[in-house]
Amino acid sequence: NEGWWNAGFVGGVGAYFLRSKVGGLDGEITDTKESVFGWNGGLLTVFTVDRRWDVRLEGNWHLIQDDARRKPLVVSASVSWKF
């Protein structure tokens, strides 16, 4: 935590509604749907541009409890304006 930036950890649980299409060797496409839960956690950093503007960077890792054991890492950036 400095005068021009703040950082912290984020985390939580969530529900994931997944749909995927898988093609087999015989050319047949299987459409699968899953509703599962998962965990997520990451780091959020906020850079102060001036009194009303911020730039936010977030990296969040998801541990989804599905059959494929997906573990996506989502990196995002945004600009926020305080009114």
Side-chain angles (χ1 to χ4, degrees):
N1 186 8
E2 293 290 328
W4 57 278
W5 67 277
N6 293 308
F9 294 105
V10 295
V13 298
Y16 297 85
F17 305 99
L18 308 172
R19 182 177 179 181
S20 61
K21 293 183 180 182
V22 179
L25 294 175
D26 58 358
E28 187 173 327
I29 295 177
T30 305
D31 191 9
T32 61
K33 294 180 183 179
E34 287 185 87
S35 297
V36 296
F37 77 95
W39 308 93
N40 63 67
L43 178 67
L44 171 65
T45 307
V46 180
F47 298 97
T48 303
V49 177
D50 69 14
R51 200 174 73 106
R52 292 189 176 257
W53 293 93
D54 290 334
V55 174
R56 298 168 181 253
L57 300 174
E58 182 175 1
N60 208 348
W61 178 63
H62 297 263
L63 178 60
I64 302 173
Q65 301 296 314
D66 64 337
D67 292 336
R69 296 288 191 207
R70 295 176 177 99
K71 296 179 184 88
L73 173 64
V74 179
V75 178
S76 60
S78 64
V79 176
S80 66
W81 177 66
K82 300 173 194 164
F83 54 92

